[in-house]
Amino acid sequence: MILIIDFGSQFNQLIARRVREHSVYCVIEPPSVSVESIRALKPEGIILSGGPASIYDENSPRVNPAIFEMGIPVLGICYGMQFMVDTFGGSVKKSEKREYGFATLNIRSREDLFAGLEDSTCWMSHGDSIDTLPEGFVSMADTANTPVAACHFPEKKFYGVQFHPEVEHTKEGRKIIDNFLSICQCSRNWTMASFAKETIEDIKKTVGGQKVVLGLSGGVDSSVAAVLIHKAIGDQLTCIFVDNGLLRKNEAKTLEEVLTRNLQMNIRFVDARERFLSALAGVTDPETKRKIIGNLFIEIFDAEAGKIEGAAFLGQGTLYPDVIESRSAFGGPSAVIKSHHNVGGLPETMNLKLLEPLQYLFKDEVRILGKELGLSDEMVWRQPFPGPGLGIRILGEITEERLNILKEADAILLEEVKAEGIYKDLWQSFVVLLPVRTVGVMGDHRTYEFTCVIRAVNSKDAMTADWARLPHEFLARVSSRIINEVRGINRVAYDISSKPPATIEWE
Ligand code: XMP
């Protein structure tokens, strides 16, 4: 396994992804990680990530230099390389020219780390660069602005690169990571099948004969977590699904079919549709809606979980990015785990321990795991769906009538998106119902009905998003079907705003 020390780079999760793509397991730890914890991990190599600090800043992050005495290869990336050079007595200086963007790498030494590489483009993002190399280190490559774009200390197997091999823009980046893993002699046996097997054993050991309760949201993460835990402990797991009536058409039914009937899991369905509707009656403010929906969910979930006698664990579908992001910057070794936004706090008297079997996985790995565990493409490729559901896609007051209208229109869009084969390509695609009526004409009759909006976006992480350039013919088909098939809508608009400055959801 590979240990990645996180010096705060925005790319550090990408480093982890690249390592895992080569079937090697890795973990990310803050620089404050103790030497004992590192030894316990038994890493075969260490990668020092980049970061925003300058090595000469007063509080620049540093990891215990004992890592260089463990007899294992180390690869420093950007700040990580500067830290290594500084530790061994070399010097770093502010570059005259800040280098940001593409650069051409001129390789001088085509061995070990750069074995089999061509001179090609790499991605730079740095203000500081290496001035003098410490004794034993040799430069391996340069670029027009950076004399030491890469260096190594061959006897010790220490390597440094000023550019970022983990980003797509570095053409030979994958090969560099692959070469480093070969130098570390890593066993390449990290697969989802092996992860599933080991995790199931772990869960069995941790839980023993006790009971686990888990809140199902209908999303990918909680479903995969539930199936995994169920494989380990069977009926000792009870899932709770609160039907708030704000899910897409047929979602609750599908979930019931797949998990209860096909997988024979023990699920308590709580029909809370009426309670949510009456709590939301007359409410139009988006944040108030969110609060009401969130609080009521917690209340109902807690009451239901409280009925499960002897529950000792709360299962959650927390993912690795949540774990990493919830650590304080350069914080201590004990990570604070953020609780999943779809599952609220439980009564303290229940004193449940967290069971988070996906906490070392990235989203795409969870999808592969889901498939490995026998879930369908439909289950594992779900687009993200917000906790407050359709509640924030009905602008203005939420009524049963409006909910039904939106569900029908949204189902038509979803059906057409899937038929067009673009469901997986779109980050999200859904319909928003506006509290605006417009005049239309149908046959010989005047109509005065609601307007809905189609929203479809491309995105990698929801932080930014671009409106999808859907074909006009496709939009025409959806619009015509919605207006003809859904009573209550006589006008369809298409949202052509990107995030920022708009957001993905309308509320
Ligand atoms: P925005 O609208 O802020 O959405 O661009 C970004 C992503 O977050 C989802 N979203 C939510 N998810 N509770 C959630 O669990 C919420 O209140 C919420 N609001 C937005 C949204 O669907 C998108 O994926």
Side-chain angles (χ1 to χ4, degrees), residues 290 341-342 384-388 392-393 427-428 430 462 499 502-507:
R290 274 196 173 78
H341 59 240
N342 283 330
F385 187 71
I392 54 166
R393 293 180 181 169
W427 173 262
Q428 276 171 294
F430 54 88
K499 173 181 179 177
T503 53
I504 296 176
E505 304 288 347
W506 274 48
E507 286 199 330

Short mmCIF file of all heavy atoms in Angstrom, two decimals, residues 290 341-342 384-388 392-393 427-428 430 462 499 502-507, ligand 1:
data_model
loop_
_atom_site.label_atom_id
_atom_site.label_comp_id
_atom_site.label_asym_id
_atom_site.label_seq_id
_atom_site.Cartn_x
_atom_site.Cartn_y
_atom_site.Cartn_z
N ARG A 290 -36.14 23.37 3.64
CA ARG A 290 -35.02 22.46 3.94
C ARG A 290 -35.01 22.08 5.42
O ARG A 290 -34.84 20.92 5.77
CB ARG A 290 -33.69 23.14 3.63
CG ARG A 290 -33.26 23.02 2.21
CD ARG A 290 -31.79 23.36 2.06
NE ARG A 290 -31.35 23.07 0.71
CZ ARG A 290 -31.59 23.84 -0.35
NH1 ARG A 290 -32.27 24.96 -0.21
NH2 ARG A 290 -31.16 23.50 -1.54
N HIS A 341 -25.25 13.70 5.31
CA HIS A 341 -26.29 14.72 5.38
C HIS A 341 -27.70 14.17 5.30
O HIS A 341 -28.64 14.86 5.62
CB HIS A 341 -26.06 15.82 4.33
CG HIS A 341 -26.05 15.30 2.93
ND1 HIS A 341 -24.96 15.44 2.11
CD2 HIS A 341 -26.96 14.63 2.22
CE1 HIS A 341 -25.22 14.88 0.95
NE2 HIS A 341 -26.43 14.38 1.00
N ASN A 342 -27.84 12.94 4.86
CA ASN A 342 -29.19 12.41 4.77
C ASN A 342 -29.64 11.70 6.04
O ASN A 342 -30.77 11.29 6.17
CB ASN A 342 -29.31 11.44 3.59
CG ASN A 342 -29.39 12.20 2.29
OD1 ASN A 342 -29.91 13.32 2.27
ND2 ASN A 342 -28.87 11.65 1.24
N PRO A 384 -27.14 12.17 -8.70
CA PRO A 384 -27.35 12.68 -7.34
C PRO A 384 -28.75 13.27 -7.19
O PRO A 384 -29.30 13.82 -8.15
CB PRO A 384 -26.31 13.80 -7.22
CG PRO A 384 -25.33 13.57 -8.30
CD PRO A 384 -26.03 12.84 -9.39
N PHE A 385 -29.30 13.09 -6.01
CA PHE A 385 -30.64 13.60 -5.74
C PHE A 385 -30.59 14.29 -4.37
O PHE A 385 -30.08 13.71 -3.41
CB PHE A 385 -31.62 12.42 -5.73
CG PHE A 385 -33.06 12.82 -5.61
CD1 PHE A 385 -33.71 13.43 -6.68
CD2 PHE A 385 -33.76 12.61 -4.44
CE1 PHE A 385 -35.04 13.80 -6.57
CE2 PHE A 385 -35.10 12.97 -4.33
CZ PHE A 385 -35.73 13.56 -5.40
N PRO A 386 -31.07 15.51 -4.27
CA PRO A 386 -30.91 16.23 -3.00
C PRO A 386 -31.78 15.65 -1.88
O PRO A 386 -32.87 15.15 -2.15
CB PRO A 386 -31.36 17.65 -3.34
CG PRO A 386 -32.26 17.48 -4.51
CD PRO A 386 -31.78 16.29 -5.28
N GLY A 387 -31.27 15.74 -0.65
CA GLY A 387 -32.03 15.25 0.51
C GLY A 387 -33.46 15.77 0.55
O GLY A 387 -34.40 14.99 0.72
N PRO A 388 -33.69 17.09 0.37
CA PRO A 388 -35.06 17.62 0.42
C PRO A 388 -35.89 17.28 -0.82
O PRO A 388 -37.06 17.65 -0.91
CB PRO A 388 -34.87 19.14 0.52
CG PRO A 388 -33.41 19.37 0.75
CD PRO A 388 -32.68 18.16 0.25
N ILE A 392 -37.63 20.98 -3.02
CA ILE A 392 -36.96 22.21 -3.48
C ILE A 392 -37.00 22.33 -5.01
O ILE A 392 -36.32 23.16 -5.60
CB ILE A 392 -35.49 22.29 -2.96
CG1 ILE A 392 -34.69 21.04 -3.31
CG2 ILE A 392 -35.48 22.54 -1.46
CD1 ILE A 392 -33.19 21.19 -3.12
N ARG A 393 -37.82 21.47 -5.62
CA ARG A 393 -38.01 21.60 -7.07
C ARG A 393 -39.43 22.06 -7.41
O ARG A 393 -39.79 22.18 -8.58
CB ARG A 393 -37.69 20.28 -7.78
CG ARG A 393 -36.20 19.96 -7.67
CD ARG A 393 -35.81 18.69 -8.35
NE ARG A 393 -34.39 18.46 -8.18
CZ ARG A 393 -33.77 17.32 -8.47
NH1 ARG A 393 -34.47 16.31 -8.96
NH2 ARG A 393 -32.48 17.20 -8.29
N TRP A 427 -24.70 15.02 -15.35
CA TRP A 427 -24.53 15.01 -13.89
C TRP A 427 -25.89 14.91 -13.22
O TRP A 427 -26.12 14.08 -12.36
CB TRP A 427 -23.79 16.28 -13.47
CG TRP A 427 -23.72 16.44 -12.00
CD1 TRP A 427 -24.54 17.20 -11.23
CD2 TRP A 427 -22.78 15.82 -11.10
NE1 TRP A 427 -24.18 17.09 -9.91
CE2 TRP A 427 -23.11 16.25 -9.80
CE3 TRP A 427 -21.71 14.94 -11.28
CZ2 TRP A 427 -22.40 15.84 -8.68
CZ3 TRP A 427 -21.00 14.52 -10.15
CH2 TRP A 427 -21.35 14.98 -8.87
N GLN A 428 -26.80 15.78 -13.66
CA GLN A 428 -28.17 15.71 -13.18
C GLN A 428 -29.11 16.16 -14.29
O GLN A 428 -28.74 17.00 -15.11
CB GLN A 428 -28.39 16.62 -11.96
CG GLN A 428 -27.98 15.98 -10.64
CD GLN A 428 -27.97 16.95 -9.49
OE1 GLN A 428 -27.17 17.87 -9.46
NE2 GLN A 428 -28.85 16.74 -8.52
N PHE A 430 -33.43 16.98 -14.49
CA PHE A 430 -34.70 16.93 -13.74
C PHE A 430 -35.61 18.06 -14.18
O PHE A 430 -35.23 18.93 -14.97
CB PHE A 430 -34.43 17.01 -12.23
CG PHE A 430 -33.60 18.19 -11.79
CD1 PHE A 430 -34.19 19.42 -11.47
CD2 PHE A 430 -32.21 18.09 -11.68
CE1 PHE A 430 -33.42 20.50 -11.05
CE2 PHE A 430 -31.43 19.17 -11.26
CZ PHE A 430 -32.04 20.37 -10.95
N ALA A 462 -20.26 19.05 -8.88
CA ALA A 462 -21.35 19.95 -8.45
C ALA A 462 -20.86 21.31 -7.97
O ALA A 462 -21.67 22.18 -7.67
CB ALA A 462 -22.24 19.30 -7.38
N LYS A 499 -23.49 27.18 -13.51
CA LYS A 499 -23.12 27.46 -12.11
C LYS A 499 -21.61 27.69 -12.05
O LYS A 499 -20.87 26.83 -12.52
CB LYS A 499 -23.49 26.26 -11.24
CG LYS A 499 -22.98 26.40 -9.81
CD LYS A 499 -23.32 25.19 -8.97
CE LYS A 499 -22.77 25.40 -7.56
NZ LYS A 499 -23.11 24.31 -6.66
N ALA A 502 -25.50 30.83 -11.50
CA ALA A 502 -26.73 30.16 -11.03
C ALA A 502 -26.31 28.96 -10.17
O ALA A 502 -25.12 28.67 -10.06
CB ALA A 502 -27.55 29.70 -12.22
N THR A 503 -27.25 28.26 -9.58
CA THR A 503 -26.93 26.99 -8.91
C THR A 503 -27.63 25.89 -9.70
O THR A 503 -28.41 26.17 -10.61
CB THR A 503 -27.42 26.98 -7.45
OG1 THR A 503 -28.79 27.33 -7.45
CG2 THR A 503 -26.63 27.94 -6.59
N ILE A 504 -27.33 24.65 -9.35
CA ILE A 504 -27.95 23.54 -10.09
C ILE A 504 -29.44 23.48 -9.78
O ILE A 504 -30.28 23.49 -10.67
CB ILE A 504 -27.25 22.21 -9.76
CG1 ILE A 504 -25.79 22.25 -10.23
CG2 ILE A 504 -28.00 21.05 -10.41
CD1 ILE A 504 -24.96 21.03 -9.88
N GLU A 505 -29.76 23.43 -8.50
CA GLU A 505 -31.18 23.45 -8.10
C GLU A 505 -31.68 24.89 -8.18
O GLU A 505 -30.91 25.83 -8.13
CB GLU A 505 -31.32 22.94 -6.66
CG GLU A 505 -30.74 21.56 -6.40
CD GLU A 505 -31.55 20.43 -7.01
OE1 GLU A 505 -32.69 20.67 -7.43
OE2 GLU A 505 -31.01 19.30 -7.08
N TRP A 506 -33.02 25.01 -8.26
CA TRP A 506 -33.59 26.37 -8.35
C TRP A 506 -33.82 26.98 -6.97
O TRP A 506 -34.09 28.16 -6.87
CB TRP A 506 -34.89 26.32 -9.15
CG TRP A 506 -34.66 26.44 -10.63
CD1 TRP A 506 -33.75 25.75 -11.36
CD2 TRP A 506 -35.31 27.33 -11.53
NE1 TRP A 506 -33.80 26.14 -12.67
CE2 TRP A 506 -34.76 27.10 -12.81
CE3 TRP A 506 -36.33 28.28 -11.39
CZ2 TRP A 506 -35.19 27.79 -13.94
CZ3 TRP A 506 -36.76 28.97 -12.52
CH2 TRP A 506 -36.17 28.73 -13.78
N GLU A 507 -33.80 26.14 -5.94
CA GLU A 507 -34.00 26.70 -4.59
C GLU A 507 -32.84 26.31 -3.71
O GLU A 507 -32.28 25.23 -3.86
CB GLU A 507 -35.29 26.17 -3.98
CG GLU A 507 -36.53 26.78 -4.59
CD GLU A 507 -37.76 26.61 -3.68
OE1 GLU A 507 -37.82 25.63 -2.96
OE2 GLU A 507 -38.63 27.48 -3.73
P1 XMP B 1 -26.63 23.60 -6.02
O1 XMP B 1 -28.08 23.81 -6.27
O2 XMP B 1 -26.14 24.23 -4.75
O3 XMP B 1 -26.45 22.01 -5.80
O4 XMP B 1 -25.77 23.96 -7.20
C1 XMP B 1 -25.23 21.34 -5.76
C2 XMP B 1 -25.52 19.86 -5.55
O5 XMP B 1 -26.06 19.64 -4.25
C3 XMP B 1 -27.37 19.10 -4.33
N1 XMP B 1 -28.17 19.79 -3.30
C4 XMP B 1 -28.51 19.25 -2.13
N2 XMP B 1 -28.29 18.02 -1.62
N3 XMP B 1 -29.46 18.61 0.34
C5 XMP B 1 -28.78 17.70 -0.39
O6 XMP B 1 -28.61 16.57 0.09
C6 XMP B 1 -29.74 19.87 -0.10
O7 XMP B 1 -30.37 20.69 0.58
C7 XMP B 1 -29.23 20.20 -1.41
N4 XMP B 1 -29.29 21.32 -2.18
C8 XMP B 1 -28.63 21.04 -3.33
C9 XMP B 1 -27.84 19.37 -5.75
O8 XMP B 1 -28.81 18.42 -6.19
C10 XMP B 1 -26.54 19.29 -6.52
O9 XMP B 1 -26.18 17.95 -6.81
#
